[in-house]
Amino acid sequence: MALTAITNARVFDGEKTAGVRTVVIDGGRIARVGGEAPRDSEIVDGDGATLLPGLIDAHVHSAPGSLALALRFGVTTELEMQGMNTRENRGPITDDDTVADVRSSGFAITPPGGHPSELMPEGFRPKWDLPPVMPLMPFSTTPEEAVAFVPQLLARGSDFIKFMIDDGSVEGHPGLPSLDQATVNAGVAEAKKYGALTVAHALTVDATRMAAEAGVDGLTHVFMDQPHTAEIIALIKDAGMFVIPCVTLNASMMGITGSALADDPRVAARLDSKWDETLRSSYGRYPQGRLDDVYDTVRALDAAGVDVLAGTDVSMPETFFGGLAHGASLHHELQYLVAAGLTPARALRAATATTARRFRLSDRGRIAEGLRADLLLVDGDPTSDIGDTLNTRAVWRRGTRLAA
């Protein structure tokens, strides 16, 4: 395979703007950062553009065609927080450079009848083919059940273990069955025995406290039921947890649609009618929420040195999961993070190097020699204007350029 040299581009390496203008791809890897383009290489002129690591959406739920849609927006990896793309099912995805790569928790530990069952309309059945191996459904109501499921999930190919801590109060279903503290504690402790990463769904301050007490590694949401306090920020910081705020999801829960994003011609050109309709809708389950409170919380977490990761909670093209679309909404999330007070560079780190580090993806998320050539070339300078991430000029997945 011929070498490819991307030249004359501003290079954001996942952490910072690097003082180089050339990146060389050899096969599926980054062969060189800086220096001159090899004489025999194919040249991609990056003049006026910025080269970024492929973006990582740290919170998704896959649907038919969603990995291909994500890649069209330069999202080269998606982290599935409930779904079927565990190791035993994703063999074809791993070698398919027309779709985003994926890592998955499998299904989360939750009680029977617990979250997310309340989100599905009565009688709704997703319309897609079943995977070769059906995922394990780890319904748990006791510490003993949670402990027993952890090694089974890992053996079946879950890349991390997720716990649902949700009483339904934010989703309009107060009194929903939820994990208790003892069950979360026991499940997390068991996961740690195997060296497994743990994450928790927590939309309230109380659920966040439960996750921190249990020693969970990361939160897949930021709480939205009340303003932050110095105490809860310190609790998250001292626990060493990362946070995936999913501001896009919180906005949708409050009834804010993605219509403005859908109107952007850079987005509209890449969405079919079903995803366009979904993006223009909203969850609308928590209209009493205040987006400014979420902004303040995200800003406080960042100021405290908590690792903030970019994720969306995008799911399937259905209006009851509205306000979100694969790929497009990660760019929206970056805009939300900047609106909350992060610098564009910190927001970009949240979708690249920081997420890769916290999810132990050592082969991606940065532009460095020897790493996967997952790359996004965009016109303009997103370290100055975060909206420039949507100016897609080229996308590479494992060194293979996505056809326009």
Side-chain angles (χ1 to χ4, degrees):
M1 183 180 293
L3 300 177
T4 298
I6 304 162
T7 64
N8 301 320
R10 179 182 298 102
V11 176
F12 179 83
D13 66 7
E15 296 283 356
K16 64 187 183 308
T17 299
V20 299
R21 305 291 290 183
T22 299
V23 172
V24 180
I25 301 170
D26 184 1
R29 297 283 167 178
I30 297 169
R32 186 190 304 170
V33 179
E36 298 296 322
R39 186 172 303 173
D40 58 346
S41 59
E42 175 189 352
I43 302 296
V44 176
D45 187 1
D47 185 48
T50 301
L51 187 66
L52 307 167
L55 304 179
I56 305 171
D57 189 331
H59 188 153
V60 309
H61 305 278
S62 300
S66 62
L67 292 171
L69 179 59
L71 190 62
R72 289 201 292 275
F73 283 93
V75 177
T76 54
T77 303
E78 291 195 320
L79 304 182
E80 187 180 70
M81 291 295 163
Q82 172 125 319
M84 302 178 185
N85 288 312
T86 51
R87 283 193 303 277
E88 59 192 356
N89 285 324
R90 66 169 179 259
I93 294 170
T94 300
D95 296 324
D96 186 352
D97 294 324
T98 67
V99 301
D101 198 14
V102 65
R103 296 291 182 272
S104 181
S105 67
F107 277 65
I109 294 176
T110 194
H115 181 79
S117 62
E118 83 286 358
L119 298 180
M120 304 293 183
E122 187 173 352
F124 173 76
R125 294 291 182 271
K127 298 175 183 177
W128 59 65
D129 294 334
L130 296 178
V133 182
M134 285 301 295
L136 183 66
M137 303 290 186
F139 294 123
S140 301
T141 55
T142 67
E144 292 77 16
E145 288 173 337
V147 166
F149 274 124
V150 166
Q152 295 180 62
L153 287 164
L154 295 172
R156 295 280 296 273
S158 291
D159 296 289
F160 38 90
I161 304 296
K162 184 177 182 183
F163 299 84
M164 297 291 195
I165 311 175
D166 195 332
D167 64 3
S169 57
V170 169
E171 294 92 343
H173 287 77
L176 198 70
S178 184
L179 298 175
D180 61 20
Q181 186 73 65
T183 301
V184 179
N185 290 354
V188 172
E190 183 68 9
K192 288 183 182 297
K193 291 180 184 177
Y194 292 86
L197 188 76
T198 56
V199 296
H201 164 104
L203 288 171
T204 65
V205 168
D206 286 347
T208 299
R209 287 197 180 97
M210 285 180 63
E213 180 176 323
V216 166
D217 292 301
L219 299 167
T220 64
H221 292 277
V222 72
F223 54 85
M224 58 187 299
D225 62 324
Q226 56 186 279
H228 74 275
T229 62
E231 177 268 335
I232 192 65
I233 299 298
L235 183 67
I236 294 169
K237 168 67 174 176
D238 293 346
M241 292 194 292
F242 60 82
V243 179
I244 310 166
C246 294
V247 184
T248 44
L249 182 278
N250 286 8
S252 179
M253 291 286 283
M254 296 170 190
I256 301 169
T257 73
S259 292
L261 184 67
D263 287 339
D264 187 325
R266 299 172 297 177
V267 173
R270 291 178 255 190
L271 298 181
D272 64 21
S273 60
K274 189 66 175 176
W275 277 114
D276 178 80
E277 179 187 25
T278 300
L279 187 54
R280 294 180 186 279
S281 307
S282 75
Y283 275 70
R285 292 170 177 264
Y286 199 66
Q288 66 270 40
R290 285 175 40 84
L291 192 58
D292 283 344
D293 287 345
V294 173
Y295 282 162
D296 289 345
T297 300
V298 171
R299 185 164 53 251
L301 290 167
D302 182 58
V306 173
D307 280 334
V308 173
L309 281 53
T312 61
D313 202 7
V314 61
S315 184
M316 60 187 75
E318 299 288 347
T319 55
F320 52 84
F321 291 133
L324 305 162
H326 283 266
S329 290
L330 185 61
H331 296 270
H332 203 189
E333 183 71 11
L334 296 177
Q335 295 170 22
Y336 272 128
L337 292 177
V338 171
L342 273 67
T343 65
R346 291 182 80 81
L348 291 170
R349 286 200 288 274
T352 55
T354 303
T355 293
R357 173 170 52 82
R358 293 306 301 247
F359 275 88
R360 307 171 184 173
L361 300 172
S362 60
D363 64 344
R364 67 197 71 191
R366 294 176 295 121
I367 296 177
E369 294 177 5
L371 299 192
R372 282 172 61 111
D374 290 352
L375 300 166
L376 170 61
L377 185 66
V378 299
D379 291 323
D381 180 9
T383 65
S384 297
D385 181 350
I386 197 64
D388 284 349
T389 61
L390 279 166
N391 295 333
T392 307
R393 189 184 292 190
V395 177
W396 290 264
R397 199 260 204 186
R398 291 195 315 173
T400 298
R401 185 169 180 173
L402 184 67

